[in-house]
Amino acid sequence: AQSVTQLGSHVSVSEGALVLLRCNYSSSVPPYLFWYVQYPNQGLQLLLKYTTGATLVKGINGFEAEFKKSETSFHLTKPSAHMSDAAEYFCAVSDQTGANNLFFGTGTRLTVIP
Amino acid sequence: EAQVTQNPRYLITVTGKKLTVTCSQNMNHEYMSWYRQDPGLGLRQIYYSMNVEVTDKGDVPEGYKVSRKEKRNFPLILESPSPNQTSLYFCASRLRPGGLDEQFFGPGTRLTVL
């Protein structure tokens, strides 16, 4: 069965500092991995996804993530945090059934300090 | 504008009083899904639908019902709500059931059961 673990329910960074949000996955088959972002009082929206091919995936708003099979990781990074990045971030993995349902992690709330 | 709408956005009710949360999408998506979001637990799937008249259980279906009589609508029904169903609910849709394209989320419905 597929699952994801997000380390750190809360992460704080200073404006301009590197953002690193951690996600490790468990999957019996090559995984399909996603990062979604939830801004306050809104639904989730897709940041980026990895299916096959290039292991470094670029998403919206300057975020990127690298799929590392040897480490079973898919960490999300951004070189320089902006105040508008403050949100909750969810890592997800597809169950790779006919429906490709998503299993979400428990989320990481990012605070950006001015 | 392409969107997923949910109604109501906020609801306070009492134990045992049947309620329905509506979900509608205008993107002609085949796949729709309901999630609940609870602190520390992330998003958990309640039910999903791969097309009209095709629905299936997610990870936490107990106490919920759904129907999919039309492609655009996917209501969530709580026949006899209980306090442990107090949560934030999200509806989502995606173009194809087995696809890896983005899931579009509604704005959420915050339900309190007293």
Side-chain angles (χ1 to χ4, degrees):
Chain A
Q2 282 71 24
S3 67
V4 290
T5 302
Q6 291 184 243
L7 298 176
S9 58
H10 291 87
V11 170
S12 294
V13 300
S14 298
E15 191 174 16
L18 171 71
V19 176
L20 171 60
L21 304 181
R22 299 179 186 273
C23 174
N24 288 88
Y25 69 89
S26 174
S27 178
S28 54
V29 296
Y32 299 144
L33 296 160
F34 305 78
W35 276 100
Y36 277 79
V37 60
Q38 183 181 33
Y39 297 105
N41 300 313
Q42 295 185 26
L44 282 72
Q45 65 182 87
L46 181 66
L47 269 180
L48 50 79
K49 65 181 178 184
Y50 170 78
T51 54
T52 58
T55 56
L56 182 62
V57 181
K58 296 187 184 299
I60 62 171
N61 301 337
F63 283 93
E64 61 183 37
E66 186 170 11
F67 170 67
K68 291 187 177 180
K69 183 179 178 180
S70 60
E71 298 178 7
T72 62
S73 69
F74 190 56
H75 302 329
L76 182 70
T77 60
K78 182 174 180 177
S80 176
H82 193 273
M83 295 298 294
S84 61
D85 295 326
E88 189 153 21
Y89 293 80
F90 292 93
C91 183
V93 63
S94 165
D95 68 1
Q96 298 202 37
T97 64
N100 266 332
N101 293 313
L102 295 185
F103 289 116
F104 287 87
T106 52
T108 298
R109 183 168 298 280
L110 176 67
T111 300
V112 182
I113 304 165
Chain B
E1 179 190 356
Q3 60 183 350
V4 178
T5 57
Q6 295 179 226
N7 282 292
R9 294 289 311 280
Y10 302 90
L11 179 59
I12 301 175
T13 189
V14 295
T15 298
K17 186 176 180 181
K18 182 180 178 179
L19 67 91
T20 299
V21 183
T22 65
C23 171
S24 183
Q25 50 90 7
N26 63 0
M27 296 170 279
N28 202 35
H29 286 175
E30 292 185 355
Y31 176 92
M32 298 185 74
S33 181
W34 275 104
Y35 300 90
R36 60 177 290 173
Q37 182 180 11
D38 302 290
L41 297 178
L43 279 80
R44 294 177 292 167
Q45 189 178 47
I46 304 170
Y47 270 93
Y48 66 96
S49 170
M50 294 205 286
N51 214 324
V52 175
E53 302 289 4
V54 181
T55 62
D56 209 344
K57 296 177 181 179
D59 296 319
V60 289
E62 294 77 20
Y64 304 94
K65 287 175 58 177
V66 293
S67 69
R68 186 95 182 270
K69 298 188 187 324
E70 307 165 277
K71 200 171 191 178
R72 64 182 295 127
N73 296 323
F74 190 44
L76 180 69
I77 303 157
L78 284 73
E79 294 269 3
S80 182
S82 63
N84 64 12
Q85 293 178 297
T86 292
S87 187
L88 179 58
Y89 291 85
F90 287 100
C91 181
S93 73
R94 188 176 70 215
L95 181 60
R96 294 171 293 133
L100 296 170
D101 42 313
E102 178 176 1
Q103 282 198 38
F104 291 86
F105 284 78
T109 294
R110 186 166 294 280
L111 172 66
T112 302
V113 183
L114 302 175

